[in-house]
Amino acid sequence: MGPFDPPSQGFSAILYPREPSKQIGTHGLPDDEVPNHAFFPHLDGLWTGPIPKTASEVDDWYAPKTEHFGDRSASVIGTNNSPLFQDPDCTLSIGSFTAFVGVVLNDQPEFGYGNFAVLRGAHHHTAEFFRQQRTEGGLIGPEGHGWPRLRRAGDDGVGLTYLPDEISKHFEENAQYTPDGLMWPEPTPMLVEEGDAFITVHGIPHSGTRNELGADPRINIYFRLRRHRPGGATVRGDSDHPDRGWNGEFLDYPDGYNPWQVAIDKLCHPWSEWDGMQEVVSEARVGLAPC
Ligand SMILES: [Fe+2]
């Protein structure tokens, strides 16, 4: 990956053993209706917060303007600390980083132990999707081309669009469907032991899952690392919106450095931040369109 700021922060993600519940998630469905131990693939860096509860409350599925979204400026911060828009001009609505690192603190030997799970291989489609958004013009992220911020879910319910259809459509094979027609792709769970670690790129849709089988809490420690960007912010190691402060505050940057433009470039070309992967990627891409 090349040089990066050593993390000063990480975060623990503890999933206590539990039964499926009726609680409706921000994806819009009751927990017990989501297949695959409630795997709902998402990208990191997305605003999350209270949203309209019924479809009739939604004024605009693409760019909702109800009170939940405040004045729709870059100052609106989610309950997950992620801004509604990254930049003051609201051209970017997703935070990003280079690598997601998980360190495993208890055994998770089979799917059902609260495993971290991924949509394997989807990072290629994620990068392609961002390039498509850039080509179309307008926002990068939710509210940009092909990515309505809200979607219908369940019986007259509403969910945040955690993954645009353009990415998930590549995973119809072995997918399951809920009665509302939503597609739930098959995850690849991390089957891991205490002391293991795993690394993904930001563009891998992923999710924690329900811990139904474990007698103990599922405990992982996570870091969000970013390859050093000359002129860029110092990265703490836990944030999914490292171009802003942890609480969403705007940071100072050197004249001429546009952190939003750099972030968009890296979303569109994530492998450019992985020095050690250049040969592997170019070999794998022989015969494919340049990326
Ligand atoms: Fe995540």
Side-chain angles (χ1 to χ4, degrees), residues 11 40-45 97 100 116 204-208 222 224 240:
F11 63 101
F40 73 103
H42 64 272
L43 294 170
D44 276 358
F97 44 88
F100 188 80
F116 181 82
I204 280 280
H206 62 273
S207 161
Y222 293 127
R224 292 174 171 130
D240 66 356

Side-chain angles (χ1 to χ4, degrees), residues 155-178:
D155 182 16
D156 196 41
V158 182
L160 285 163
T161 314
Y162 280 107
L163 193 64
D165 291 344
E166 273 297 312
I167 297 174
S168 55
K169 75 177 186 187
H170 296 280
F171 295 87
E172 286 175 356
E173 197 177 328
N174 298 328
Q176 295 184 52
Y177 293 83
T178 41

